[in-house]
Amino acid sequence: MTTAVLPKIRELKPGFGAEIEGVDIRTADDATLDGVVATFHRHGAILLRDQSPTPPDLMRFIGRFGEAEDHTLVENTLPGFPKIYILSNRVDENGKPIGAHNDGIGWHTDYSYKAEPVMATMLYAVETPPEGADTLLADCCKAWNALPPERRAELDGKIVHHSWRHFMATREYNRMEDPPEDLLRDNPDVFHPLVRTHPADGRKALFPSTGTVKGVVGMSDEEGVALVEDLVAFATREAFVFRHKWRAGDVLMWDNRCTLHTGTLYDDTRYFRLMHRLWVKGDKPY
Ligand code: SIN
């Protein structure tokens, strides 16, 4: 298969991420879209600006990367599009929230409470506040490579305990003390390596998170959580982080196998935000 040479690529941060210019995801041909996918795998994140996809366009585009993943809280999905999750502070005509508000605040990797966490996350900005609500991406390969060899040797092979129940009971926003039984049954605790290998080329990345982390195997829960928090603090130093300032029409996608991300707050008493979030299924970390 021939892969298009993309018109213009600009790194989001030296060695990480790529802004792709001159591609309309609704109308691009197959070779160009193959090039977009290849750029994503090579750079860990991609940004395409000035897009105006409909929900079916978003579904087609995400399908280029793999199979779209489901969402745990289906009540926040776009009616008729169960794979499109809404992040918003808007409410409908009855005053009911149309999606999840402040859902991704705190450094994390998506679906870390699943045996097969999502490979990629895509956000499409429908409406953005003029200030705040930036999304931050941390390059966890660069962070891993920056650790001294002896520290890497200590960390490689450690296993992290993740728990959806713990996450829902302790998160700052959208806390759920007593989740429904069916959701608890569908989301049992899982264990993932602290250092992950990228299946595309074998590069290694720190794979910590916050929220879902209950401990590290072989350590007390307090010590384990403290170790993971330390590594999150390290991986999210400014040197490793790209800050995205949103404009309506932006499509930002990142590879959860080698990044951490967080949303940031905004003045929700003055502004509205509306984002569509889609996930691509992933595989078991190793
Ligand atoms: C997320 O973590 O899924 C969303 C991040 C954001 O809203 O900026």
Side-chain angles (χ1 to χ4, degrees):
M1 189 190 298
T2 51
T3 295
V5 177
L6 291 166
K8 245 190 183 173
I9 289 176
R10 185 182 62 81
E11 282 189 321
L12 296 177
K13 197 168 171 84
F16 176 74
E19 178 174 348
I20 299 171
E21 291 178 20
V23 173
D24 181 338
I25 65 171
R26 288 171 315 159
T27 55
D29 60 24
D30 279 348
T32 303
L33 290 172
D34 286 345
V36 170
V37 174
T39 304
F40 170 81
H41 286 296
R42 200 173 317 123
H43 292 264
I46 51 172
L47 168 66
L48 298 105
R49 302 203 104 147
D50 303 317
Q51 306 293 316
S52 49
T54 61
D57 293 329
L58 288 174
M59 291 307 302
R60 267 192 300 278
F61 182 65
I62 203 82
R64 308 290 309 199
F65 296 82
E67 193 184 335
E69 181 61 277
D70 294 318
H71 297 280
T72 305
L73 302 177
V74 284
E75 61 271 28
N76 294 325
T77 57
L78 185 67
F81 293 91
K83 312 274 177 165
I84 301 182
Y85 197 81
I86 300 178
L87 302 172
S88 189
N89 57 333
R90 282 202 175 272
V91 295
D92 69 13
E93 58 284 0
N94 302 312
K96 184 175 167 290
I98 63 164
H101 181 32
N102 289 337
D103 201 49
I105 306 296
W107 286 104
H108 63 286
T109 178
D110 282 335
Y111 235 32
S112 53
Y113 54 88
K114 290 285 194 185
E116 297 189 338
V118 291
M119 183 268 275
T121 300
M122 177 174 88
L123 289 184
Y124 167 54
V126 180
E127 181 179 25
T128 56
E131 56 190 354
D134 301 342
T135 301
L136 278 55
L137 307 180
D139 177 353
C140 290
C141 287
K142 193 166 183 186
W144 170 251
N145 290 329
L147 287 169
E150 56 281 11
R151 185 66 176 142
R152 280 191 251 161
E154 281 165 16
L155 297 174
D156 210 356
K158 288 204 184 296
I159 302 293
V160 182
H161 177 183
H162 295 264
S163 160
W164 183 75
R165 180 198 284 267
H166 174 74
F167 174 47
M168 294 315 281
T170 56
R171 69 196 305 210
E172 188 171 356
Y173 299 98
N174 307 317
R175 188 170 295 180
M176 212 189 261
E177 304 281 356
D178 199 12
E181 274 308 314
D182 57 331
L183 289 182
L184 285 171
R185 198 185 48 241
D186 291 349
N187 294 286
D189 289 9
V190 296
F191 295 83
H192 294 311
L194 177 59
V195 182
R196 187 169 184 180
T197 309
H198 199 292
D201 57 7
R203 67 190 192 270
K204 287 196 166 187
L206 279 173
F207 191 57
S209 199
T210 63
T212 61
V213 175
K214 262 202 99 174
V216 171
V217 173
M219 302 174 83
S220 72
D221 280 354
E222 291 74 30
E223 282 174 334
V225 170
L227 169 67
V228 175
E229 282 177 356
D230 255 19
L231 291 170
V232 169
F234 176 74
T236 58
R237 287 180 182 181
E238 209 180 314
F240 308 131
V241 170
F242 163 68
R243 173 181 286 269
H244 183 57
K245 292 194 168 294
W246 289 97
R247 291 197 317 234
D250 287 353
V251 168
L252 180 69
M253 266 187 93
W254 59 87
D255 186 335
N256 285 291
R257 298 169 299 189
C258 54
T259 57
L260 285 173
H261 64 278
T262 180
T264 56
L265 299 174
Y266 59 101
D267 186 345
D268 55 8
T269 63
R270 292 171 70 197
Y271 306 129
F272 289 107
R273 185 181 197 233
L274 173 54
M275 315 289 283
H276 287 171
R277 183 177 75 195
L278 291 89
W279 280 340
V280 181
K281 279 185 191 293
D283 41 29
K284 195 169 160 39
Y286 60 92

